Amino acid sequence: MVTSVETRVQSLASSGIQSIPKQYIRSQDELRNVGDVFEEEKNEEGPLVPTIDLKEIESDDQEVRERCRLELKKAAMEWGVMSLVNHGISEELMDRVREVGQRFFELPVEEKEKHANDQGSGMIQGYGSKLANNDSGLLEWEDYFFHLVFPEEKRDLSIWPKTPSDYTEVTSEYARQLRGLATKILSALSLCLGLEEGRLEKEVGGLEELILQMKINYYPKCPQPELALGVEAHTDVSALTFILHNMVPGLQLFYQGKWVTAKCVPNSIIMHIGDTIEILSNGKFKSILHRGLVNKEKVRISWAVFCEPPKDKIILKPLPETVSETDPPLFPPRTFGQHIQHKLFKKAQDALSN
């Protein structure tokens, strides 16, 4: 069953409502530290999400290269999230990605519904909104468009937007360039763990099997942002996640027991270490809990690209080089698919015990 037009958050937000329906109101526990994101972003006190300059990651000068890798390693170990600058993807291409995504969401709702997914039948790619199948029965203040974007032979272009007409061309080029960036990061992280350069890439499926899935998150203006969440707290199951956004704040990270609002760094791409790399590194690199806030004043859009290993072909477990007598394995062996199921089961159990 395709979600009805009335349940799209964008339609709800533009209907002129002054208060949000009860299924969007989160618990007091979840709303801890939910404030004005614009004020939060201006806050200069407290911890700041690290910014990593990748310009020197492939420098000919070994010392310079090593310094860049050490900064990346520190950010991966302490935070598990960072803003990447000088990442090699042009500002022009990033602007075009933002433009075609935004133009899709500006289409009439009937036009967008032609691309609707059908979660009930397992067709998860396409245009959608969160169904109340999470254990709290609560909804998130967002609509989204979800699709596999790389490798190219695994894409289903039939569900991709036809309008704007350059959507496929722009998104495909961005995906190709992000795949190159993923290799660059995985190589550096391998070296940071004392592994051979290509090791982590091989462990997550290599060029043939690592898939990139893009989720464009559209967070409409919310009349009561202090009661809602754009995305509830979670860690990413991916190996790496790359996030582009429209320079509207909203990402919060749970760091050292407190929610920290990420600042919008111009021309940057935010990168999360996902559960997959946390497992392979035996917890040396962190997969950080994060969530998305909403606001009254501006629509927020983010383009999240999840780099994921194949669901069943690879057993994820701490690499032997990361384990010792004093550093026993923190994670049991599981396929990526089993890891996802384990997280869903654990979430259900947590919900029942609350």
Side-chain angles (χ1 to χ4, degrees):
M1 185 192 78
V2 174
T3 311
S4 67
V5 173
E6 291 75 39
T7 60
R8 300 301 181 201
V9 180
Q10 191 177 2
S11 304
L12 191 60
S14 58
S15 69
I17 58 167
Q18 298 301 304
S19 56
I20 61 175
K22 67 177 188 308
Q23 63 265 37
Y24 292 95
I25 298 174
R26 314 302 297 205
S27 69
Q28 281 308 304
D29 194 43
E30 282 186 285
L31 294 172
R32 202 175 298 148
N33 291 100
V34 169
D36 182 317
V37 287
F38 299 105
E39 290 304 314
E40 296 262 350
E41 199 210 9
K42 287 180 201 158
N43 182 13
E44 294 297 334
E45 293 174 16
L48 294 175
V49 174
T51 296
I52 303 298
D53 189 337
L54 290 181
K55 189 170 61 177
E56 310 294 3
I57 197 96
E58 294 176 318
S59 165
D60 293 335
D61 185 325
Q62 187 180 344
E63 199 176 308
V64 171
R65 205 167 58 233
E66 190 63 31
R67 197 179 324 131
C68 183
R69 278 207 295 265
L70 281 173
E71 286 177 13
L72 179 70
K73 180 180 183 180
K74 186 169 188 278
M77 291 179 78
E78 292 180 9
W79 280 84
V81 65
M82 58 207 80
S83 293
L84 304 177
V85 295
N86 291 316
H87 39 66
I89 297 177
S90 73
E91 189 179 341
E92 181 200 5
L93 179 57
M94 293 195 299
D95 283 344
R96 289 184 73 199
V97 170
R98 290 185 186 104
E99 185 192 346
V100 294
Q102 183 169 335
R103 276 165 57 201
F104 171 76
F105 278 96
E106 287 168 354
L107 292 172
V109 70
E110 296 75 20
E111 199 60 37
K112 293 195 288 275
E113 289 297 337
K114 291 176 184 173
H115 302 275
N117 62 15
D118 186 357
Q119 296 175 51
S121 70
M123 193 184 92
I124 58 170
Q125 292 196 70
Y127 172 59
S129 308
K130 182 76 168 272
L131 298 181
N133 59 359
N134 53 346
D135 304 293
S136 61
L138 297 177
L139 298 172
E140 296 168 327
W141 193 262
E142 71 150 346
D143 299 325
Y144 62 81
F145 193 93
F146 182 74
H147 50 334
L148 188 153
V149 293
F150 198 90
E152 294 183 354
E153 66 274 12
K154 293 186 180 177
R155 302 175 305 178
D156 180 0
L157 292 178
S158 69
I159 60 148
W160 287 37
K162 308 293 179 283
T163 307
S165 58
D166 54 348
Y167 182 91
T168 297
E169 175 205 335
V170 170
T171 304
S172 299
E173 181 55 31
Y174 181 62
R176 274 193 293 275
Q177 294 200 22
L178 264 190
R179 185 62 186 85
L181 179 58
T183 290
K184 199 185 287 189
I185 296 290
L186 290 168
S187 297
L189 291 174
S190 293
L191 293 168
C192 291
L193 288 172
L195 306 169
E196 286 182 18
E197 201 169 351
R199 182 69 179 282
L200 283 178
E201 172 126 16
K202 178 172 163 257
E203 295 289 345
V204 296
L207 269 177
E208 295 75 29
E209 297 288 351
L210 185 72
I211 61 168
L212 272 58
Q213 310 213 65
M214 178 186 278
K215 184 174 177 234
I216 308 176
N217 300 295
Y218 186 93
Y219 307 102
K221 296 176 197 174
C222 180
Q224 294 178 296
E226 70 284 357
L227 297 180
L229 287 175
V231 173
E232 61 194 19
H234 66 286
T235 62
D236 289 352
V237 294
S238 60
L240 301 171
T241 304
F242 295 102
I243 302 173
L244 191 61
H245 55 76
N246 65 338
M247 293 298 287
V248 176
L251 173 65
Q252 280 197 324
L253 301 312
F254 196 63
Y255 180 72
Q256 294 185 347
K258 290 192 177 133
W259 287 104
V260 176
T261 301
K263 294 189 181 301
C264 295
V265 178
N267 303 325
S268 69
I269 294 176
I270 294 169
M271 186 189 80
H272 286 271
I273 301 285
D275 297 350
T276 297
I277 294 294
E278 182 178 59
I279 291 166
L280 291 171
S281 72
N282 200 28
K284 290 174 177 58
F285 298 149
K286 301 285 181 286
S287 179
I288 195 169
L289 192 69
H290 56 284
R291 67 184 182 183
L293 303 191
V294 291
N295 73 83
K296 269 184 186 178
E297 296 156 50
K298 292 182 179 177
V299 169
R300 180 170 181 260
I301 313 175
S302 69
W303 289 256
V305 175
F306 306 98
C307 304
E308 298 182 349
K311 276 208 164 73
D312 304 311
K313 288 187 180 177
I314 292 170
I315 301 293
L316 291 179
K317 61 180 180 181
L319 297 175
E321 295 90 339
T322 66
V323 173
S324 66
E325 274 187 37
T326 54
D327 222 352
L330 299 175
F331 306 94
R334 288 191 182 106
T335 64
F336 182 62
Q338 286 168 339
H339 173 67
I340 293 170
Q341 290 308 313
H342 169 74
K343 280 188 89 165
L344 291 172
F345 177 72
K346 189 169 182 304
K347 196 173 167 193
Q349 294 296 98
D350 291 347
L352 287 171
S353 62
N354 284 341

